Amino acid sequence: MVLNELWAALSSASEAVLACCFVAAAVALRWFGGRKARARARGAAARARRKQQAGLESMHKAAQRFRLQNPGLDSEALLALTLPQLVQKLHNGELSQQAVLFTYLGKAWEVNKETNCVTTYLADCETQLSQAPRQGLLYGVPVSLKECFSYQGQDSTLGLSLNEGVPAECDSMMVQVLKLQGAVPFVHTNVPQCMFSYDCSNPLFGRTTNPWNCFKSPGGSSGGEGALIAAGGSLLGLGTDLGGSIRFPSSFCGICGLKPTANHLSKTGLKDCMYGQMAVHISVGPMARDVESLALCLALLCEDMFRLDPIVPPLPFREEVYASSRPLRVGYYETDNYTMPTPAMKRAVLETKQRLEAAGHTLIPFLPRNIPYVLETLSIGGIFSDGGSSFLQNFKGNLMDPCLGNLMLVLKLPGWLKGLLAFLLKPLLPTLAAILNNLKSRSTGKLWELHHEIKVYRNSVIAQWRALDLDVLLTPMLSPAMDMNAAGNALGAVGYTILYNCLDFPAGVVPVTTVTIEDEAQMEHYRGYFGDSWDKVLWKAMMKSVGLPVAVQCVALPWQEELCLRFMREVEQLMTPEKRPF
């Protein structure tokens, strides 16, 4: 009996030891696996940087070679031309496309030295010059591309090591249309990791800085485009916008940008990290130094779009709407009552309102209903309806960039813990609690309900709009530029922009003023509406901003891009902020 008990005890002990060994082995394998994955990610980053530097060196040599062969070329005069002026000079032969391309290559290289905005030199742009159709309306115009636009033979990494060394098999549809119009895509520009931040940094290519102030962010996720265009390294660029990704960089860098209705320009061939997310729509749109360039780009791209991509509706650009001078009925609001506008933001809206009224337009107070519900439930809840699992898949074996802030930590929490934290935090941090609650995974039935709620909300805002017989809407735009790494810890501030992704209304950004000493002094008293951590981050991140650009947002109803652009042009002509010569 004693022997049996002893044997049973030994057996139990053996099983326990064996179990411990299995657990230890699993932990060790996971640790070694993670270590190997991190090593692979670091290797991918090193390769990406080497390719980036080799491309930049080729770019610099090409520009230098042309400059030596053409010492009489007035580069400064060429770079000062607007897009319509440049197009005209290229078509009438006053400028050669070689002179234009190599001048912009040289300027882009200089800008990149200061901002780190270029990820890839699209070297076949040199051979493309001989292939560009002379009848193309963008004949010879260099165009920069956000890195997510697939370009044959080049990586679109989105700052993720898993995409490094995976070149595109063909051009995205937008690149094809640009080439048909005679344009010459010449660089890819930097993005935040996964394109899910309104900052601009990733482990592969590093941080892009704002050309106005190297300690400030250029915005995101089209941040490389914003920096390059603002500093004169590109005349025209293409970006994408899911929650403000064209509008934030345009605002922070002092340029113009348009987020069209979601399906106005083709998204075929875009690299993404959250395929299948349909609650909040992504848009492709142009970015440029002035509104006229945006309008010209949109008008020209529409011609070939439907023929190449039948999913895009065949809508010609309505020049008569864009060129109209009839007085407008303009809705406006000074705040969304969720993110308190900075003093400069509020002043920008009020000064623009006054100028518009003086020009004969009618300004009417208008605020879409229930903006917190749109941000917390419809938008963030819609984007992360799977609890963030699709988004997190991109980071297996990847290094994580600090620009994403606490988002990754929160997404990794199990659903029950997100719910518990939301319950506990609600009395103290109601905005954070509401967003935490909406980061839980939804069932298929709940997702369909959410899609229906978005449709109902959109119809209610359109009815509210039409009841006042509005043409367009003037709103604040988050500005000035924030400090580095602040955006990831101030998610609630996307409310001014993501509202119009959820509604799928066209929305554009126009710079109208700069931060004054008085604005900065008033900012000392900024506390936000909730006094929570997000408000404190926003306050700190927007200090030390005197002289930085401040923008407003112009909005129209779906498929009214020409009217939106016409309103943007009106604002641009009435408001003349100081242009910084970089």
Coordinates of all heavy atoms in Angstrom, one line a residue, residues 192-251:
P192 N 2.7 57.3 -41.7 CA 2.8 56.6 -40.4 C 2.6 55.1 -40.5 O 2.0 54.7 -41.5 CB 1.8 57.3 -39.6 CG 0.7 57.8 -40.6 CD 1.5 58.1 -41.8
Q193 N 3.1 54.4 -39.6 CA 2.9 52.9 -39.7 C 1.5 52.5 -39.8 O 0.6 53.0 -39.0 CB 3.6 52.3 -38.5 CG 3.8 50.8 -38.6 CD 4.6 50.2 -37.4 OE1 4.6 50.8 -36.3 NE2 5.3 49.1 -37.7
C194 N 1.2 51.7 -40.8 CA -0.2 51.2 -41.0 C -1.1 52.4 -41.5 O -2.3 52.1 -41.7 CB -0.8 50.6 -39.8 SG -0.7 48.8 -39.9
M195 N -0.6 53.6 -41.7 CA -1.4 54.7 -42.1 C -2.5 55.0 -41.1 O -3.6 55.5 -41.5 CB -2.0 54.5 -43.5 CG -1.0 54.3 -44.6 SD -1.6 54.5 -46.3 CE -2.9 53.3 -46.3
F196 N -2.3 54.7 -39.8 CA -3.3 54.9 -38.9 C -2.9 55.8 -37.8 O -2.9 55.5 -36.6 CB -3.8 53.6 -38.3 CG -5.2 53.6 -37.8 CD1 -6.3 53.4 -38.7 CD2 -5.5 53.9 -36.5 CE1 -7.6 53.5 -38.3 CE2 -6.9 54.0 -36.1 CZ -7.9 53.8 -37.0
S197 N -2.5 57.1 -38.2 CA -2.2 58.1 -37.3 C -2.2 59.4 -38.0 O -2.0 59.4 -39.2 CB -0.8 57.9 -36.7 OG -0.3 59.0 -35.9
Y198 N -2.4 60.5 -37.3 CA -2.2 61.8 -38.0 C -0.9 62.4 -37.6 O -0.7 63.6 -37.6 CB -3.4 62.7 -37.7 CG -3.8 63.1 -36.3 CD1 -3.5 64.4 -35.8 CD2 -4.6 62.3 -35.5 CE1 -3.8 64.7 -34.5 CE2 -4.9 62.6 -34.2 CZ -4.6 63.9 -33.7 OH -4.9 64.3 -32.5
D199 N 0.1 61.5 -37.3 CA 1.5 61.9 -37.2 C 2.1 61.2 -38.4 O 1.4 60.7 -39.3 CB 2.0 61.3 -35.9 CG 3.3 62.0 -35.4 OD1 3.9 62.8 -36.2 OD2 3.7 61.9 -34.3
C200 N 3.5 61.2 -38.5 CA 4.1 60.6 -39.7 C 5.5 60.0 -39.3 O 6.5 60.7 -39.4 CB 4.2 61.6 -40.8 SG 4.7 60.9 -42.4
S201 N 5.5 58.7 -38.9 CA 6.7 58.0 -38.6 C 6.5 56.5 -38.6 O 5.3 56.0 -38.4 CB 7.1 58.4 -37.1 OG 8.2 57.7 -36.7
N202 N 7.5 55.8 -39.0 CA 7.4 54.3 -39.0 C 8.8 53.8 -38.8 O 9.8 54.4 -39.0 CB 6.8 53.8 -40.3 CG 7.6 54.1 -41.5 OD1 8.6 53.6 -41.8 ND2 7.1 55.1 -42.3
P203 N 8.9 52.5 -38.4 CA 10.2 51.9 -38.1 C 11.1 51.7 -39.4 O 12.3 51.5 -39.2 CB 9.9 50.5 -37.5 CG 8.5 50.6 -37.0 CD 7.8 51.6 -38.0
L204 N 10.5 51.7 -40.6 CA 11.3 51.4 -41.8 C 12.1 52.7 -42.3 O 13.3 52.6 -42.5 CB 10.4 50.9 -42.9 CG 10.4 49.3 -43.0 CD1 9.8 48.7 -41.7 CD2 9.6 48.9 -44.2
F205 N 11.3 53.8 -42.4 CA 11.9 55.0 -42.9 C 12.1 56.1 -41.9 O 12.7 57.2 -42.3 CB 11.0 55.5 -44.1 CG 10.9 54.5 -45.2 CD1 9.8 53.8 -45.4 CD2 12.0 54.2 -46.0 CE1 9.6 52.9 -46.4 CE2 11.9 53.3 -47.1 CZ 10.7 52.6 -47.3
G206 N 11.6 55.9 -40.7 CA 11.8 57.0 -39.7 C 10.8 58.0 -39.7 O 9.7 57.9 -40.3
R207 N 11.1 59.2 -39.1 CA 10.2 60.3 -38.9 C 10.3 61.3 -40.0 O 11.4 61.7 -40.4 CB 10.5 60.9 -37.5 CG 9.7 62.2 -37.3 CD 9.7 62.6 -35.8 NE 9.1 61.6 -34.9 CZ 7.8 61.3 -34.9 NH1 7.0 62.0 -35.6 NH2 7.3 60.4 -34.1
T208 N 9.1 61.8 -40.4 CA 9.0 63.0 -41.3 C 8.7 64.2 -40.4 O 7.9 64.1 -39.5 CB 8.0 62.8 -42.4 OG1 8.3 61.7 -43.2 CG2 7.9 64.0 -43.3
T209 N 9.4 65.3 -40.7 CA 9.2 66.5 -39.9 C 8.5 67.6 -40.7 O 8.4 67.5 -41.9 CB 10.5 67.1 -39.4 OG1 11.4 67.4 -40.5 CG2 11.3 66.1 -38.5
N210 N 7.9 68.6 -40.0 CA 7.2 69.6 -40.6 C 8.2 70.7 -41.1 O 9.1 71.1 -40.4 CB 6.3 70.3 -39.6 CG 5.3 71.2 -40.2 OD1 5.6 72.1 -40.9 ND2 4.0 71.0 -39.8
P211 N 8.1 71.1 -42.4 CA 9.0 72.1 -43.0 C 9.0 73.4 -42.3 O 9.9 74.2 -42.4 CB 8.7 72.1 -44.5 CG 7.3 71.7 -44.5 CD 7.1 70.7 -43.4
W212 N 7.9 73.8 -41.6 CA 7.8 75.0 -40.9 C 8.5 75.0 -39.6 O 9.0 76.1 -39.1 CB 6.3 75.4 -40.6 CG 5.5 75.7 -41.8 CD1 5.0 74.9 -42.8 CD2 5.1 77.0 -42.3 NE1 4.3 75.5 -43.7 CE2 4.3 76.9 -43.4 CE3 5.3 78.3 -41.7 CZ2 3.8 78.0 -44.1 CZ3 4.7 79.4 -42.4 CH2 4.0 79.2 -43.6
N213 N 8.6 73.8 -39.0 CA 9.2 73.7 -37.7 C 9.6 72.2 -37.5 O 8.7 71.4 -37.4 CB 8.3 74.2 -36.6 CG 8.9 74.1 -35.2 OD1 9.7 73.3 -34.9 ND2 8.4 75.0 -34.3
C214 N 10.9 72.0 -37.4 CA 11.4 70.6 -37.4 C 11.0 69.8 -36.1 O 11.1 68.6 -36.0 CB 12.9 70.5 -37.6 SG 13.8 71.3 -36.3
F215 N 10.4 70.5 -35.1 CA 10.0 69.9 -33.9 C 8.5 69.5 -33.9 O 8.0 69.0 -33.0 CB 10.3 70.7 -32.7 CG 11.7 71.0 -32.5 CD1 12.3 72.3 -32.8 CD2 12.6 70.0 -32.0 CE1 13.6 72.5 -32.6 CE2 13.9 70.2 -31.8 CZ 14.5 71.5 -32.1
K216 N 7.8 69.9 -35.0 CA 6.4 69.7 -35.2 C 6.1 68.6 -36.2 O 6.9 68.3 -37.1 CB 5.7 71.0 -35.6 CG 5.8 72.1 -34.5 CD 4.9 71.8 -33.3 CE 4.9 72.9 -32.4 NZ 4.0 72.7 -31.2
S217 N 5.0 67.9 -36.1 CA 4.6 66.9 -37.0 C 4.0 67.5 -38.3 O 3.4 68.6 -38.3 CB 3.5 66.0 -36.4 OG 2.9 65.2 -37.3
P218 N 4.2 66.8 -39.4 CA 3.6 67.3 -40.7 C 2.2 66.9 -40.8 O 1.5 67.2 -41.8 CB 4.5 66.7 -41.8 CG 4.9 65.4 -41.1 CD 5.1 65.7 -39.7
G219 N 1.7 66.1 -39.8 CA 0.4 65.5 -39.9 C 0.4 64.2 -40.6 O 1.5 63.7 -41.1
G220 N -0.7 63.5 -40.7 CA -0.7 62.2 -41.3 C -2.2 61.8 -41.6 O -3.1 62.5 -41.2
S221 N -2.4 60.7 -42.4 CA -1.3 59.8 -42.8 C -0.5 60.2 -44.1 O 0.5 59.6 -44.4 CB -1.8 58.4 -42.9 OG -2.8 58.3 -43.9
S222 N -1.0 61.2 -44.8 CA -0.3 61.7 -46.0 C 0.7 62.7 -45.7 O 0.9 63.7 -46.3 CB -1.3 62.2 -47.0 OG -2.4 61.3 -47.2
G223 N 1.5 62.5 -44.6 CA 2.4 63.5 -44.0 C 3.6 63.7 -44.9 O 4.0 64.9 -45.0
G224 N 4.1 62.7 -45.6 CA 5.2 62.9 -46.5 C 4.8 63.9 -47.7 O 5.6 64.7 -48.1
E225 N 3.6 63.7 -48.2 CA 3.1 64.5 -49.2 C 3.0 66.0 -48.7 O 3.4 66.9 -49.4 CB 1.7 64.1 -49.7 CG 1.7 62.9 -50.6 CD 2.5 63.2 -51.9 OE1 2.2 64.2 -52.5 OE2 3.3 62.3 -52.3
G226 N 2.4 66.2 -47.5 CA 2.2 67.5 -47.0 C 3.5 68.2 -46.9 O 3.7 69.4 -47.3
A227 N 4.6 67.6 -46.3 CA 5.9 68.2 -46.2 C 6.5 68.5 -47.5 O 7.1 69.6 -47.7 CB 6.8 67.3 -45.3
L228 N 6.5 67.6 -48.4 CA 7.2 67.8 -49.7 C 6.5 68.9 -50.5 O 7.2 69.8 -51.1 CB 7.1 66.5 -50.5 CG 7.8 66.5 -51.9 CD1 9.3 66.7 -51.7 CD2 7.5 65.2 -52.7
I229 N 5.2 69.0 -50.6 CA 4.5 70.0 -51.3 C 4.7 71.4 -50.7 O 4.9 72.4 -51.3 CB 3.0 69.6 -51.5 CG1 2.9 68.4 -52.4 CG2 2.2 70.8 -52.1 CD1 1.5 67.8 -52.3
A230 N 4.5 71.4 -49.3 CA 4.7 72.7 -48.6 C 6.0 73.3 -48.8 O 6.1 74.5 -48.9 CB 4.4 72.5 -47.1
A231 N 7.1 72.5 -48.9 CA 8.4 73.0 -49.0 C 8.9 73.2 -50.5 O 10.0 73.5 -50.7 CB 9.4 72.1 -48.3
G232 N 7.9 73.0 -51.4 CA 8.2 73.2 -52.8 C 8.8 72.1 -53.6 O 9.3 72.3 -54.7
G233 N 8.9 70.9 -53.0 CA 9.5 69.7 -53.7 C 8.6 69.0 -54.6 O 9.0 68.1 -55.3
S234 N 7.3 69.4 -54.6 CA 6.3 68.8 -55.5 C 5.2 69.8 -55.7 O 4.9 70.6 -54.8 CB 5.7 67.5 -55.0 OG 4.7 67.0 -55.8
L235 N 4.7 69.8 -56.9 CA 3.6 70.8 -57.3 C 2.3 70.2 -57.0 O 1.3 70.9 -56.7 CB 3.8 71.2 -58.7 CG 3.0 72.4 -59.2 CD1 3.5 73.7 -58.5 CD2 3.3 72.6 -60.7
L236 N 2.2 68.9 -57.2 CA 0.9 68.1 -57.1 C 1.2 66.7 -56.5 O 2.1 66.1 -56.9 CB 0.3 68.0 -58.5 CG -1.0 67.2 -58.6 CD1 -2.2 67.9 -57.8 CD2 -1.4 67.1 -60.1
G237 N 0.3 66.3 -55.6 CA 0.5 65.0 -55.0 C -0.8 64.3 -54.8 O -1.9 65.0 -54.8
L238 N -0.8 63.0 -54.7 CA -2.0 62.2 -54.4 C -1.9 61.6 -53.0 O -0.9 61.1 -52.6 CB -2.2 61.1 -55.4 CG -2.7 61.5 -56.8 CD1 -3.0 60.3 -57.6 CD2 -4.0 62.4 -56.7
G239 N -3.0 61.8 -52.2 CA -3.0 61.2 -50.9 C -4.3 60.4 -50.7 O -5.1 60.3 -51.6
T240 N -4.5 59.8 -49.5 CA -5.7 59.1 -49.2 C -6.2 59.6 -47.8 O -5.4 60.2 -47.1 CB -5.5 57.6 -49.1 OG1 -4.6 57.3 -48.1 CG2 -5.1 57.0 -50.4
D241 N -7.5 59.4 -47.6 CA -8.1 60.0 -46.4 C -9.2 59.1 -45.8 O -10.2 58.9 -46.4 CB -8.7 61.4 -46.8 CG -9.1 62.2 -45.6 OD1 -9.8 61.7 -44.7 OD2 -8.7 63.4 -45.5
L242 N -8.9 58.6 -44.6 CA -9.9 57.7 -43.9 C -10.5 58.5 -42.7 O -11.7 58.3 -42.5 CB -9.2 56.4 -43.4 CG -10.1 55.5 -42.6 CD1 -11.2 54.9 -43.4 CD2 -9.3 54.4 -42.0
G243 N -9.7 59.3 -42.1 CA -10.3 60.1 -40.9 C -9.7 61.5 -40.9 O -9.9 62.2 -39.9
G244 N -9.1 61.9 -42.0 CA -8.5 63.2 -42.1 C -7.1 63.2 -42.7 O -6.3 64.2 -42.6
S245 N -6.7 62.1 -43.3 CA -5.3 61.8 -43.7 C -4.8 62.7 -44.8 O -3.6 62.8 -45.0 CB -5.1 60.4 -44.1 OG -5.3 59.6 -42.9
I246 N -5.7 63.4 -45.6 CA -5.3 64.4 -46.5 C -5.4 65.8 -45.8 O -4.5 66.6 -46.0 CB -6.2 64.4 -47.8 CG1 -5.8 63.2 -48.7 CG2 -6.1 65.7 -48.5 CD1 -6.8 63.0 -49.8
R247 N -6.4 65.9 -45.0 CA -6.7 67.2 -44.4 C -5.8 67.6 -43.3 O -5.4 68.8 -43.1 CB -8.2 67.3 -44.0 CG -9.1 67.3 -45.2 CD -10.5 66.9 -44.8 NE -10.6 65.5 -44.5 CZ -11.7 64.9 -43.8 NH1 -12.7 65.7 -43.4 NH2 -11.7 63.6 -43.6
F248 N -5.4 66.7 -42.4 CA -4.4 67.0 -41.4 C -3.1 67.5 -41.9 O -2.6 68.6 -41.5 CB -4.2 65.8 -40.4 CG -5.3 65.5 -39.5 CD1 -6.0 64.3 -39.5 CD2 -5.6 66.5 -38.5 CE1 -7.0 64.1 -38.5 CE2 -6.6 66.3 -37.6 CZ -7.3 65.1 -37.6
P249 N -2.4 66.8 -42.8 CA -1.2 67.3 -43.4 C -1.3 68.6 -44.1 O -0.4 69.5 -44.0 CB -0.7 66.2 -44.3 CG -1.4 65.0 -43.9 CD -2.7 65.4 -43.4
S250 N -2.4 68.8 -44.8 CA -2.7 70.0 -45.5 C -2.8 71.2 -44.5 O -2.2 72.3 -44.7 CB -3.9 70.0 -46.3 OG -3.8 69.0 -47.3
S251 N -3.5 71.0 -43.4 CA -3.6 72.0 -42.4 C -2.3 72.2 -41.7 O -1.9 73.4 -41.5 CB -4.6 71.5 -41.3 OG -4.7 72.3 -40.2

